[in-house]
mmCIF file of all heavy atoms in Angstrom:
data_model
loop_
_atom_site.group_PDB
_atom_site.id
_atom_site.type_symbol
_atom_site.label_atom_id
_atom_site.label_comp_id
_atom_site.label_asym_id
_atom_site.label_seq_id
_atom_site.Cartn_x
_atom_site.Cartn_y
_atom_site.Cartn_z
ATOM 1 N N ARG R 295 -126.748 194.722 -29.427
ATOM 2 C CA ARG R 295 -127.337 195.960 -28.910
ATOM 3 C C ARG R 295 -126.215 196.985 -28.804
ATOM 4 O O ARG R 295 -125.285 196.824 -28.032
ATOM 5 C CB ARG R 295 -128.007 195.729 -27.551
ATOM 6 C CG ARG R 295 -128.590 197.025 -26.987
ATOM 7 C CD ARG R 295 -129.457 196.860 -25.758
ATOM 8 N NE ARG R 295 -129.201 195.790 -24.846
ATOM 9 C CZ ARG R 295 -128.426 195.884 -23.753
ATOM 10 N NH1 ARG R 295 -127.788 197.007 -23.462
ATOM 11 N NH2 ARG R 295 -128.286 194.846 -22.947
ATOM 12 N N LEU R 296 -126.316 198.040 -29.621
ATOM 13 C CA LEU R 296 -125.281 199.069 -29.678
ATOM 14 C C LEU R 296 -125.836 200.426 -29.258
ATOM 15 O O LEU R 296 -126.989 200.749 -29.542
ATOM 16 C CB LEU R 296 -124.721 199.207 -31.100
ATOM 17 C CG LEU R 296 -124.143 197.958 -31.753
ATOM 18 C CD1 LEU R 296 -123.690 198.289 -33.175
ATOM 19 C CD2 LEU R 296 -123.003 197.388 -30.930
ATOM 20 N N ARG R 297 -124.982 201.215 -28.636
ATOM 21 C CA ARG R 297 -125.326 202.614 -28.337
ATOM 22 C C ARG R 297 -125.012 203.415 -29.593
ATOM 23 O O ARG R 297 -123.875 203.428 -30.063
ATOM 24 C CB ARG R 297 -124.491 203.120 -27.164
ATOM 25 C CG ARG R 297 -124.841 204.526 -26.749
ATOM 26 C CD ARG R 297 -123.809 205.028 -25.728
ATOM 27 N NE ARG R 297 -124.150 206.311 -25.203
ATOM 28 C CZ ARG R 297 -123.926 207.473 -25.837
ATOM 29 N NH1 ARG R 297 -123.346 207.493 -27.016
ATOM 30 N NH2 ARG R 297 -124.282 208.617 -25.272
ATOM 31 N N CYS R 298 -126.025 204.048 -30.164
ATOM 32 C CA CYS R 298 -125.874 204.826 -31.399
ATOM 33 C C CYS R 298 -126.562 206.175 -31.228
ATOM 34 O O CYS R 298 -127.524 206.298 -30.473
ATOM 35 C CB CYS R 298 -126.530 204.103 -32.573
ATOM 36 S SG CYS R 298 -125.867 202.482 -32.948
ATOM 37 N N ASP R 299 -126.089 207.153 -31.966
ATOM 38 C CA ASP R 299 -126.783 208.446 -32.004
ATOM 39 C C ASP R 299 -127.871 208.381 -33.058
ATOM 40 O O ASP R 299 -127.624 208.032 -34.213
ATOM 41 C CB ASP R 299 -125.799 209.577 -32.318
ATOM 42 C CG ASP R 299 -124.891 209.892 -31.146
ATOM 43 O OD1 ASP R 299 -125.311 209.667 -29.995
ATOM 44 O OD2 ASP R 299 -123.768 210.360 -31.384
ATOM 45 N N VAL R 300 -129.083 208.717 -32.641
ATOM 46 C CA VAL R 300 -130.269 208.654 -33.491
ATOM 47 C C VAL R 300 -130.805 210.070 -33.666
ATOM 48 O O VAL R 300 -130.825 210.858 -32.714
ATOM 49 C CB VAL R 300 -131.325 207.732 -32.831
ATOM 50 C CG1 VAL R 300 -132.618 207.733 -33.606
ATOM 51 C CG2 VAL R 300 -130.768 206.318 -32.688
ATOM 52 N N LEU R 301 -131.236 210.391 -34.859
ATOM 53 C CA LEU R 301 -131.775 211.709 -35.161
ATOM 54 C C LEU R 301 -133.258 211.753 -34.802
ATOM 55 O O LEU R 301 -134.070 211.020 -35.371
ATOM 56 C CB LEU R 301 -131.595 212.007 -36.657
ATOM 57 C CG LEU R 301 -132.037 213.377 -37.126
ATOM 58 C CD1 LEU R 301 -131.095 214.449 -36.585
ATOM 59 C CD2 LEU R 301 -132.059 213.398 -38.639
ATOM 60 N N ARG R 302 -133.613 212.596 -33.841
ATOM 61 C CA ARG R 302 -135.010 212.772 -33.440
ATOM 62 C C ARG R 302 -135.660 213.712 -34.445
ATOM 63 O O ARG R 302 -135.200 214.829 -34.661
ATOM 64 C CB ARG R 302 -135.083 213.333 -32.023
ATOM 65 C CG ARG R 302 -136.476 213.372 -31.449
ATOM 66 C CD ARG R 302 -136.500 213.694 -29.975
ATOM 67 N NE ARG R 302 -135.704 214.890 -29.690
ATOM 68 C CZ ARG R 302 -135.131 215.143 -28.523
ATOM 69 N NH1 ARG R 302 -135.240 214.292 -27.529
ATOM 70 N NH2 ARG R 302 -134.445 216.252 -28.339
ATOM 71 N N VAL R 303 -136.733 213.289 -35.089
ATOM 72 C CA VAL R 303 -137.356 214.038 -36.177
ATOM 73 C C VAL R 303 -137.902 215.386 -35.726
ATOM 74 O O VAL R 303 -137.724 216.392 -36.409
ATOM 75 C CB VAL R 303 -138.461 213.189 -36.857
ATOM 76 C CG1 VAL R 303 -139.270 214.014 -37.831
ATOM 77 C CG2 VAL R 303 -137.839 211.983 -37.552
ATOM 78 N N ARG R 304 -138.539 215.457 -34.563
ATOM 79 C CA ARG R 304 -139.238 216.690 -34.172
ATOM 80 C C ARG R 304 -138.325 217.900 -34.046
ATOM 81 O O ARG R 304 -138.744 219.023 -34.291
ATOM 82 C CB ARG R 304 -140.048 216.496 -32.897
ATOM 83 C CG ARG R 304 -139.258 216.361 -31.624
ATOM 84 C CD ARG R 304 -140.190 216.293 -30.399
ATOM 85 N NE ARG R 304 -139.539 215.715 -29.267
ATOM 86 C CZ ARG R 304 -138.835 216.414 -28.378
ATOM 87 N NH1 ARG R 304 -138.701 217.709 -28.525
ATOM 88 N NH2 ARG R 304 -138.265 215.801 -27.369
ATOM 89 N N ASP R 305 -137.060 217.689 -33.668
ATOM 90 C CA ASP R 305 -136.173 218.851 -33.494
ATOM 91 C C ASP R 305 -134.795 218.675 -34.116
ATOM 92 O O ASP R 305 -133.943 219.550 -34.004
ATOM 93 C CB ASP R 305 -136.026 219.187 -32.009
ATOM 94 C CG ASP R 305 -135.439 218.067 -31.181
ATOM 95 O OD1 ASP R 305 -135.064 217.017 -31.756
ATOM 96 O OD2 ASP R 305 -135.372 218.223 -29.946
ATOM 97 N N GLY R 306 -134.548 217.555 -34.781
ATOM 98 C CA GLY R 306 -133.263 217.326 -35.431
ATOM 99 C C GLY R 306 -132.122 217.028 -34.482
ATOM 100 O O GLY R 306 -130.960 216.971 -34.889
ATOM 101 N N ALA R 307 -132.418 216.813 -33.208
ATOM 102 C CA ALA R 307 -131.370 216.537 -32.220
ATOM 103 C C ALA R 307 -130.863 215.108 -32.362
ATOM 104 O O ALA R 307 -131.628 214.186 -32.660
ATOM 105 C CB ALA R 307 -131.913 216.743 -30.808
ATOM 106 N N LEU R 308 -129.556 214.931 -32.142
ATOM 107 C CA LEU R 308 -128.985 213.590 -32.061
ATOM 108 C C LEU R 308 -129.130 213.107 -30.626
ATOM 109 O O LEU R 308 -128.710 213.780 -29.689
ATOM 110 C CB LEU R 308 -127.515 213.603 -32.476
ATOM 111 C CG LEU R 308 -127.260 213.715 -33.965
ATOM 112 C CD1 LEU R 308 -125.765 213.824 -34.248
ATOM 113 C CD2 LEU R 308 -127.855 212.534 -34.723
ATOM 114 N N VAL R 309 -129.750 211.949 -30.464
ATOM 115 C CA VAL R 309 -130.067 211.399 -29.154
ATOM 116 C C VAL R 309 -129.423 210.022 -29.039
ATOM 117 O O VAL R 309 -129.610 209.185 -29.925
ATOM 118 C CB VAL R 309 -131.604 211.268 -28.996
ATOM 119 C CG1 VAL R 309 -131.973 210.620 -27.689
ATOM 120 C CG2 VAL R 309 -132.275 212.620 -29.165
ATOM 121 N N PRO R 310 -128.669 209.754 -27.973
ATOM 122 C CA PRO R 310 -128.124 208.405 -27.809
ATOM 123 C C PRO R 310 -129.252 207.425 -27.500
ATOM 124 O O PRO R 310 -130.172 207.733 -26.738
ATOM 125 C CB PRO R 310 -127.156 208.540 -26.638
ATOM 126 C CG PRO R 310 -127.600 209.751 -25.888
ATOM 127 C CD PRO R 310 -128.272 210.654 -26.883
ATOM 128 N N ALA R 311 -129.175 206.249 -28.124
ATOM 129 C CA ALA R 311 -130.214 205.236 -27.939
ATOM 130 C C ALA R 311 -129.606 203.852 -28.123
ATOM 131 O O ALA R 311 -128.569 203.699 -28.778
ATOM 132 C CB ALA R 311 -131.344 205.445 -28.950
ATOM 133 N N TRP R 312 -130.275 202.857 -27.558
ATOM 134 C CA TRP R 312 -129.912 201.475 -27.846
ATOM 135 C C TRP R 312 -130.541 201.097 -29.179
ATOM 136 O O TRP R 312 -131.718 201.375 -29.427
ATOM 137 C CB TRP R 312 -130.435 200.535 -26.769
ATOM 138 C CG TRP R 312 -129.751 200.616 -25.448
ATOM 139 C CD1 TRP R 312 -130.340 200.859 -24.241
ATOM 140 C CD2 TRP R 312 -128.359 200.427 -25.169
ATOM 141 N NE1 TRP R 312 -129.392 200.842 -23.239
ATOM 142 C CE2 TRP R 312 -128.161 200.580 -23.782
ATOM 143 C CE3 TRP R 312 -127.244 200.161 -25.964
ATOM 144 C CZ2 TRP R 312 -126.918 200.457 -23.175
ATOM 145 C CZ3 TRP R 312 -125.991 200.044 -25.363
ATOM 146 C CH2 TRP R 312 -125.852 200.184 -23.989
ATOM 147 N N VAL R 313 -129.748 200.456 -30.027
ATOM 148 C CA VAL R 313 -130.216 199.983 -31.330
ATOM 149 C C VAL R 313 -129.783 198.533 -31.484
ATOM 150 O O VAL R 313 -128.616 198.202 -31.237
ATOM 151 C CB VAL R 313 -129.631 200.821 -32.484
ATOM 152 C CG1 VAL R 313 -130.158 200.328 -33.822
ATOM 153 C CG2 VAL R 313 -129.925 202.305 -32.303
ATOM 154 N N TYR R 314 -130.694 197.683 -31.885
ATOM 155 C CA TYR R 314 -130.369 196.291 -32.164
ATOM 156 C C TYR R 314 -130.036 196.188 -33.651
ATOM 157 O O TYR R 314 -130.892 196.430 -34.505
ATOM 158 C CB TYR R 314 -131.549 195.383 -31.808
ATOM 159 C CG TYR R 314 -131.819 195.317 -30.322
ATOM 160 C CD1 TYR R 314 -132.693 196.217 -29.709
ATOM 161 C CD2 TYR R 314 -131.181 194.373 -29.523
ATOM 162 C CE1 TYR R 314 -132.940 196.162 -28.345
ATOM 163 C CE2 TYR R 314 -131.426 194.316 -28.157
ATOM 164 C CZ TYR R 314 -132.295 195.204 -27.577
ATOM 165 O OH TYR R 314 -132.537 195.158 -26.220
ATOM 166 N N VAL R 315 -128.778 195.865 -33.956
ATOM 167 C CA VAL R 315 -128.310 195.715 -35.329
ATOM 168 C C VAL R 315 -127.945 194.256 -35.575
ATOM 169 O O VAL R 315 -127.663 193.510 -34.635
ATOM 170 C CB VAL R 315 -127.123 196.654 -35.645
ATOM 171 C CG1 VAL R 315 -127.512 198.111 -35.472
ATOM 172 C CG2 VAL R 315 -125.912 196.310 -34.805
ATOM 173 N N ALA R 316 -127.924 193.862 -36.834
ATOM 174 C CA ALA R 316 -127.648 192.472 -37.192
ATOM 175 C C ALA R 316 -126.316 191.997 -36.618
ATOM 176 O O ALA R 316 -125.302 192.677 -36.736
ATOM 177 C CB ALA R 316 -127.643 192.325 -38.708
ATOM 178 N N ALA R 317 -126.338 190.832 -35.985
ATOM 179 C CA ALA R 317 -125.121 190.204 -35.452
ATOM 180 C C ALA R 317 -124.541 189.275 -36.516
ATOM 181 O O ALA R 317 -125.135 189.063 -37.583
ATOM 182 C CB ALA R 317 -125.454 189.425 -34.180
ATOM 183 N N ALA R 318 -123.416 188.682 -36.210
ATOM 184 C CA ALA R 318 -122.691 187.851 -37.172
ATOM 185 C C ALA R 318 -123.523 186.691 -37.703
ATOM 186 O O ALA R 318 -123.424 186.344 -38.875
ATOM 187 C CB ALA R 318 -121.399 187.340 -36.541
ATOM 188 N N ARG R 319 -124.381 186.083 -36.873
ATOM 189 C CA ARG R 319 -125.140 184.918 -37.345
ATOM 190 C C ARG R 319 -126.407 185.285 -38.133
ATOM 191 O O ARG R 319 -127.040 184.417 -38.725
ATOM 192 C CB ARG R 319 -125.466 183.986 -36.182
ATOM 193 C CG ARG R 319 -126.642 184.357 -35.336
ATOM 194 C CD ARG R 319 -126.940 183.215 -34.330
ATOM 195 N NE ARG R 319 -128.063 183.536 -33.487
ATOM 196 C CZ ARG R 319 -129.296 183.046 -33.682
ATOM 197 N NH1 ARG R 319 -129.533 182.236 -34.671
ATOM 198 N NH2 ARG R 319 -130.268 183.387 -32.848
ATOM 199 N N ALA R 320 -126.750 186.557 -38.172
ATOM 200 C CA ALA R 320 -127.928 187.001 -38.937
ATOM 201 C C ALA R 320 -127.656 186.835 -40.437
ATOM 202 O O ALA R 320 -126.519 186.972 -40.890
ATOM 203 C CB ALA R 320 -128.241 188.453 -38.619
ATOM 204 N N VAL R 321 -128.715 186.547 -41.170
ATOM 205 C CA VAL R 321 -128.599 186.408 -42.622
ATOM 206 C C VAL R 321 -129.549 187.412 -43.268
ATOM 207 O O VAL R 321 -130.700 187.091 -43.576
ATOM 208 C CB VAL R 321 -128.932 184.968 -43.078
ATOM 209 C CG1 VAL R 321 -128.763 184.826 -44.588
ATOM 210 C CG2 VAL R 321 -128.072 183.953 -42.346
ATOM 211 N N PRO R 322 -129.075 188.656 -43.445
ATOM 212 C CA PRO R 322 -129.940 189.686 -44.039
ATOM 213 C C PRO R 322 -130.317 189.340 -45.475
ATOM 214 O O PRO R 322 -129.505 188.795 -46.230
ATOM 215 C CB PRO R 322 -129.082 190.948 -43.981
ATOM 216 C CG PRO R 322 -128.041 190.660 -42.945
ATOM 217 C CD PRO R 322 -127.786 189.189 -43.033
ATOM 218 N N GLY R 323 -131.552 189.682 -45.809
ATOM 219 C CA GLY R 323 -132.032 189.492 -47.174
ATOM 220 C C GLY R 323 -131.798 190.752 -47.989
ATOM 221 O O GLY R 323 -130.898 191.541 -47.690
ATOM 222 N N PRO R 324 -132.637 190.977 -49.001
ATOM 223 C CA PRO R 324 -132.473 192.142 -49.869
ATOM 224 C C PRO R 324 -132.572 193.456 -49.096
ATOM 225 O O PRO R 324 -133.295 193.555 -48.097
ATOM 226 C CB PRO R 324 -133.633 192.027 -50.863
ATOM 227 C CG PRO R 324 -134.111 190.618 -50.761
ATOM 228 C CD PRO R 324 -133.760 190.139 -49.396
ATOM 229 N N ARG R 325 -131.868 194.437 -49.594
ATOM 230 C CA ARG R 325 -131.898 195.771 -48.974
ATOM 231 C C ARG R 325 -133.248 196.432 -49.222
ATOM 232 O O ARG R 325 -133.823 196.310 -50.303
ATOM 233 C CB ARG R 325 -130.774 196.637 -49.555
ATOM 234 C CG ARG R 325 -130.666 197.969 -48.868
ATOM 235 C CD ARG R 325 -129.440 198.717 -49.307
ATOM 236 N NE ARG R 325 -129.499 200.078 -48.821
ATOM 237 C CZ ARG R 325 -128.621 200.996 -49.124
ATOM 238 N NH1 ARG R 325 -127.604 200.712 -49.905
ATOM 239 N NH2 ARG R 325 -128.754 202.212 -48.654
#
C-alpha cells in the first residue's frame, strides 16, 4: 500500500491516495 498522486478526471487535479501495487511475491501476467 503506497501513497501516490492520482489524477482526478473531473478537474485534472493530482490527489494523494492509497494505491495497492504488486509486492515482491506477486506474479504479474501479461500487460
Side-chain angles (χ1 to χ4, degrees):
R295 178 171 30 93
L296 304 178
R297 183 189 185 280
C298 300
D299 287 332
V300 175
L301 183 70
R302 188 170 51 206
V303 171
R304 72 175 160 89
D305 60 4
L308 284 176
V309 176
W312 289 124
V313 181
Y314 292 90
V315 299
R319 81 173 180 101
V321 182
R325 186 172 169 185

